[in-house]
Amino acid sequence: MAYVLLRHRDIPDIDRIDVYKKNGGFEAFEKAVAAMQPGEVTEVVKASGLRGRGGAGFPTGMKWAFMDKNNWPHYVVANADESEPGTFKDREIMERNPFQFLEGVAIASYAVGANAAYVYLRGEFWQVARFLDEKIAEMEKAGFLGDKLFGTEYSLRIYTHLGAGAYICGEETALLESMEGKRGQPRVRPPFPPSYGLYGKPTVVNNVETLANVPFIVANGADAYRKYGTEKSPGVKVFSLSGNVNKPGNYELPLGATFRELIFEHGGGIPDGRKIKAIMPAGASSSLIIANDKALDTPMDYESVPDVGAQLGSASVIVVDDSVDMDWLINKTIEFFKHESCGKCTPCREGTYWMAHLTERIHSGEATMQDVDLLNDVARQIQGKTLCALGEFSTMAVVTAIERFPEDFEKRLASGDKHG
Amino acid sequence: MSLAEKYPQEVKEIFAKYPPEQKRSAVMPLLYLAQREEGYVTKEAMQDIADLIEIGVTEVAAIIGFYTLYHDEKAGKYRMQVCTDLPCALRGADEFLANLCDNLGIQVGETTPDGLVTLEEVKCLAGCDKAPMFQLQSGEGIEYHENMTVDKTLELIEALHKGDKEVS
């Protein structure tokens, strides 16, 4: 099967504009601008069933259709803040197949009537931003960006904007705050960005991988895209595979491929003859799935993963083998969320701090069963009480580790306190 | 010399990216520019930026405090920022960092006696499949180093020491 997103693996040098053009590059953008109404482009994307690849899985075409047409100008912002532990797919797309992503940005901009688009990259992607700046300049020189594109009245410019190290800026309203030159803290929603976004103007925020799908959809039509994946989760997905696995890396597969296929067929299984213990399908934000046969044979799509008690999210699959204790693992994830909490909502700011205290105590073997119960209680108190999903995310591994791997906690308790 | 006097072209290019009435958006790129020479933002540069975008200097300081890649204190010429988050840790990042500390004779947060490298522990850098890994931050930018060993890292530091390694 030819790649849809990671096309650089089929076509060497596709990061060169001549090579990209020779392989159909910018034809979709030209078709959209020269031969389609903006609304028609949105309709095709809607019909394709493309859903946001950043984690939330919201229908992309619907997001575009929500743009407030009584308030101008409109903006498109590509979310390249990729910071979820276990996620490294957008980086590969931008580094190796940059024009397909930028063409997606351009088509999205045309569809929503934006004349300026920004790519918000996490600050650590300094070199990627420089590289994209070069590619944007090449597109301008070749007439794919600038004024009066393809002989029409449509004009578009794309700019990069570097963040500076803050996981929270992957949340779209925090990202917009950051772009406006403020601390990246989430806004109260509604209003959502398609009515009140960048500089208070209607804005579409789409993930890099989401946008990289768009040229294929516009060039080949919704039906061609729906040949991949499942009825409700159509298309392909880049799965970032990491952790205790022989061949970590990015794997482009149709949505609905199973965990077993990804981890054992493509990822080469578990190193050193050990056994798989748990799977985190959505990075550090993920619930822990017990890696039994039922879980391994579960299709990785938006509808099926909840059947085994987790979400597909950004499809950053972290594999955990049987040498790992869950009290250690949640101590790691909580440390991350404690550091990354933006401080705006009290339950998250204080809750992650308290959870870190407790996970450290448990891991050091000084805790009692009451501490484990308290940890569970603190986690549940955070759920549903924060403006953005970070607070909720911080609790997923904690709650499911205690629920699904209780023996890991029991064996760590201070001696003589096995029963509280 | 103020930031605008020192880097007139760069400042102009930064402002050109944003609508003219949205000067504040320039604060992040301006902070990177201010860090270029010393690797941190001086009090004077903070004031320059506040004046350029017409906000209070306290607000500029708050932004520096919020984001991990801005610094208001001098450190080594290079900040070696090792990721020890879960996926990296599952591939030996904690052991890598501990061994590196032993070999360099410094702890996390400390700087080598020659002032070249400050060792830091950071959160996920999106290089999980190539752990152990770290980034090198200097005034000039950020560079990734992946699939690292302690030996390779010591060689890199030696090369930095000789000055035959430029961070792009």
Side-chain angles (χ1 to χ4, degrees), chain A residues 75 85-88 91 118 122-127 160-161 163-165 178-184 199 242-245 248-249 280 318-319 324 332 335-336 339-340, chain B residues 16-19 22 24-25 27-29 32 62-63 66-70 84-87 89-91 94 123-129 135 140-144 146 168:
Chain A
Y75 291 105
T87 315
F88 42 87
R91 184 180 154 205
Y118 291 93
R122 60 178 300 176
E124 293 83 353
F125 287 174
W126 179 287
Q127 288 171 309
T160 59
H161 180 98
S178 178
M179 264 222 63
E180 292 181 2
K182 301 168 193 160
R183 287 176 295 164
Y199 310 131
S242 68
N244 299 129
V245 63
M280 301 182 84
I318 305 176
V319 179
V324 176
K332 275 280 178 196
E335 192 53 43
F336 173 79
H339 184 265
E340 299 298 344
Chain B
K17 282 187 168 187
Y18 310 99
Q22 302 293 346
R24 189 168 173 151
S25 279
V27 68
M28 295 181 76
Y32 281 122
I63 290 164
F66 187 84
Y67 297 97
T68 56
L69 292 174
Y70 298 133
T84 56
D85 252 325
L86 178 62
L90 290 172
R91 301 185 71 78
D94 287 325
K123 301 300 166 200
C124 187
L125 298 175
C128 324
D129 57 333
Q135 64 182 6
E140 289 296 318
I142 292 167
E143 189 182 88
Y144 273 40
E146 304 181 300
S168 55

Side-chain angles (χ1 to χ4, degrees), chain A residues 34 74 90 99 142 200 207 291 321 342 375:
Chain A
H74 290 181
D90 297 337
F99 289 117
N207 167 262
D321 74 20
C342 79
L375 173 63

Side-chain angles (χ1 to χ4, degrees), chain A residues 177-198:
Chain A
E177 289 287 295
S178 178
M179 264 222 63
E180 292 181 2
K182 301 168 193 160
R183 287 176 295 164
Q185 294 184 314
R187 297 174 179 170
V188 179
R189 294 164 298 169
F192 291 92
S195 45
Y196 189 94
L198 182 63

Side-chain angles (χ1 to χ4, degrees), chain B residues 130-142:
Chain B
K130 301 184 183 78
M133 58 87 59
F134 57 80
Q135 64 182 6
L136 273 187
Q137 186 187 16
S138 73
E140 289 296 318
I142 292 167

